[in-house]
Amino acid sequence: MMPTKYVGEVVEIVYMDKEGRLTQRRIEVHGIRGDRVYSTCLRSGERRTFRQDRILACRPSAFRRSEQTRQRQVAKSSGK
């Protein structure tokens, strides 16, 4: 179970999809309801819903959303 204290935070998870493939993701948690975690994947920028029973590991991330915004602004200004 992902603790509700992570709502509004960036966390790193290890997730197993329905085919049994493992991925490591950095997500911003927007809410937890029942067995679902509603979030934004910081790699793709897309909204994602994860089943809690498929989250194998979870830890707070040192990375913050504001850092991602800053990285995008720097990339834009440098023409990348």
Side-chain angles (χ1 to χ4, degrees):
M1 278 303 263
M2 178 176 292
T4 57
K5 69 180 181 180
Y6 291 140
V7 173
E9 297 293 324
V10 175
V11 297
E12 295 179 22
I13 63 171
V14 175
Y15 189 76
M16 182 174 58
D17 69 14
K18 62 184 174 186
E19 280 82 36
R21 294 179 295 221
L22 297 177
T23 58
Q24 184 171 350
R25 301 166 183 267
R26 185 176 292 136
I27 63 173
E28 180 178 10
V29 180
H30 301 300
I32 300 171
R33 188 172 44 229
D35 68 339
R36 306 284 190 220
V37 176
Y38 300 92
S39 65
T40 299
C41 176
L42 297 185
R43 184 183 323 150
S44 67
E46 295 180 11
R47 293 255 179 176
R48 296 291 312 267
T49 300
F50 297 98
R51 284 182 34 179
Q52 287 202 55
D53 63 334
R54 292 187 181 159
I55 297 174
L56 306 179
C58 174
R59 68 176 185 176
S61 176
F63 183 90
R64 295 289 179 249
R65 184 78 165 176
S66 59
E67 292 177 38
Q68 182 186 37
T69 302
R70 200 170 333 121
Q71 289 172 353
R72 286 182 180 161
Q73 290 171 343
V74 169
K76 255 187 186 176
S77 66
S78 66
K80 291 183 180 179

